[in-house]
Amino acid sequence: MEAATLQKRLGSAMRERRTALDRSQESFADLIKMHRAYYSAIERGERNITLHTMYRVARGLGVSVKDLMEDARL
Amino acid sequence: MEAATLQKRLGSAMRERRTALDRSQESFADLIKMHRAYYSAIERGERNITLHTMYRVARGLGVSVKDLMEDARL
DNA sequence: GTGTGACTAAGAGTCCGTT
DNA sequence: AAACGGACTCTTAGTCACA
């Protein structure tokens, strides 16, 4: 599978989890101490993020990294 | 959780899956077209790998990324 | 509230050889 | 068969101003 496809699937899964929590990108990015613009790029699937970054997002969403992978079918 | 801990957990999960398949690091690295020295560092938990790299390893092991995360309790 | 281009520092990832 | 080192290139992490 293409790298861009992987990233988009994961980004979409994150966006769905975040909106389900009724949080804006900005407030969520603040919560996990990440820059708003960077988090935006992740959700759009423009970043090939590392394990550590995935973990930070997952924790902020209140789920495990495994859960995100399952959502993203990865 | 510390970045180093995340990496070690994932690296160990990969190592267990690989050895269960009776493959050397070298032959496995060749299979997924990755350099053996780099793959060795991943299993030792010395690299904070990206989504794309996780996917390549998971595919080589015949499992999903989700499966690896579950093994690693992440 | 979100998207985007441009930017730098740090680290991911490759390739060589040696132990 | 696996660990480790140096030297290298490319991309991610992270920030900013502006749309």
Side-chain angles (χ1 to χ4, degrees), chain B residues 35-36 38 47-50 53:
Chain B
H35 200 273
R36 68 186 160 69
Y38 187 57
R47 301 290 176 157
N48 181 25
I49 63 174
T50 63
T53 302

Side-chain angles (χ1 to χ4, degrees), chain B residues 20-70:
Chain B
L21 295 177
D22 248 326
R23 294 200 79 128
S24 67
Q25 288 184 350
E26 187 159 21
S27 85
F28 184 70
D30 283 350
L31 176 72
I32 63 176
K33 296 176 181 61
M34 180 177 292
H35 200 273
R36 68 186 160 69
Y38 187 57
Y39 182 73
S40 168
I42 291 173
E43 282 195 352
R44 278 176 279 129
E46 292 180 0
R47 301 290 176 157
N48 181 25
I49 63 174
T50 63
L51 176 63
H52 186 222
T53 302
M54 277 175 216
Y55 181 75
R56 284 169 66 193
V57 173
R59 288 303 297 263
L61 292 170
V63 298
S64 65
V65 178
K66 184 199 81 173
D67 291 333
L68 284 182
M69 292 304 161
E70 189 160 19

Side-chain angles (χ1 to χ4, degrees), chain A residues 35 37-38 47-50 53 56:
Chain A
H35 199 278
Y38 185 57
R47 301 284 182 153
N48 179 26
I49 62 174
T50 62
T53 302
R56 285 169 65 194

